[in-house]
Amino acid sequence: MNRIGVYTGSFDPVTLGHLHIIRRATRLFDELIVGIGINADKRSLFESQERIELIAEVTRDIPNLRIETFDGLAVDFVRSCNAAAMVRGIRPLTDIAGEFTMMMANRQLDDSIETVFLMADEEYAHISSSLLKQIAELSDDDLRLAKFVPAAIIPQLREKLRLR
């Protein structure tokens, strides 16, 4: 039986923290699907296809990874992937309450899907997409920015912020 896990998020853009969770999760599952949630009401920096391309660029060395987009409930997307587990990365203290609430709601919606929490390592625990966007807007030092986002996507991030 193929063990499939699904890691959902907006990934706008993918951070070093996301990438670390992806790499760890691919060791736990035969196949990991990164599900990029599309919310038409939310103003994203990157279009969904761009987010797919950015994640693909920084994960090209991971053979058991697939990247897809979805709209609607994450638990429905996980079910549609025939996965038994939803992967969630959590940062100490900041995410635990919200993630626990989401896990309980998902369990009510589909109790056959387990939630696997992967705690962020210390060096990634403070990273968020909104924080790295703020740093990118306030600093033109790419070495600083590379502490938060994969270096390979910095040019695209800079260009998006310049056009905004």
Side-chain angles (χ1 to χ4, degrees):
M1 186 170 165
N2 202 19
R3 291 173 305 152
I4 301 171
V6 179
Y7 179 29
T8 61
S10 62
F11 306 101
D12 188 38
V14 62
T15 68
L16 291 177
H18 293 136
L19 189 55
H20 187 69
I21 295 296
I22 288 169
R23 289 190 183 284
R24 289 171 55 203
T26 58
R27 293 192 308 257
L28 299 175
F29 298 96
D30 298 316
E31 179 179 21
L32 180 71
I33 300 167
V34 172
I36 300 171
I38 307 302
N39 182 345
D41 296 331
K42 189 176 175 186
R43 186 169 171 252
S44 299
L45 183 61
F46 289 94
E47 299 296 324
S48 58
Q49 185 58 40
E50 292 172 313
R51 287 184 264 168
I52 290 172
E53 291 166 6
L54 293 174
I55 295 170
E57 183 173 340
V58 298
T59 60
R60 72 178 84 232
D61 63 318
I62 304 174
N64 61 329
L65 182 74
R66 189 171 60 176
I67 307 161
E68 296 185 18
T69 60
F70 73 95
D71 56 9
L73 295 173
V75 71
D76 290 339
F77 175 67
V78 172
R79 186 182 319 109
S80 76
C81 294
N82 295 315
M86 179 183 300
V87 174
R88 301 299 301 158
I90 55 174
R91 295 168 286 182
L93 302 178
T94 58
D95 292 342
I96 292 173
E99 289 293 341
F100 181 78
T101 300
M102 187 69 66
M103 179 208 53
M104 296 305 291
N106 287 338
R107 190 173 286 164
Q108 290 296 310
L109 295 170
D110 189 334
D111 65 0
S112 70
I113 296 173
E114 292 294 337
T115 301
V116 175
F117 292 111
L118 296 178
M119 182 69 74
D121 283 0
E122 183 179 330
E123 64 188 297
Y124 306 110
H126 62 288
I127 299 175
S128 69
S129 292
S130 56
L131 175 65
L132 80 86
K133 288 176 200 171
Q134 185 178 23
I135 291 168
E137 288 174 337
L138 297 174
S139 173
D140 60 359
D141 185 341
D142 287 353
L143 291 176
R144 283 178 152 177
L145 192 54
K147 294 178 181 181
F148 300 90
V149 66
I153 71 166
I154 290 175
Q156 295 97 315
L157 176 59
R158 293 270 186 219
E159 180 63 15
K160 278 291 181 181
L161 291 172
R162 187 184 67 75
L163 296 173
R164 187 160 79 161

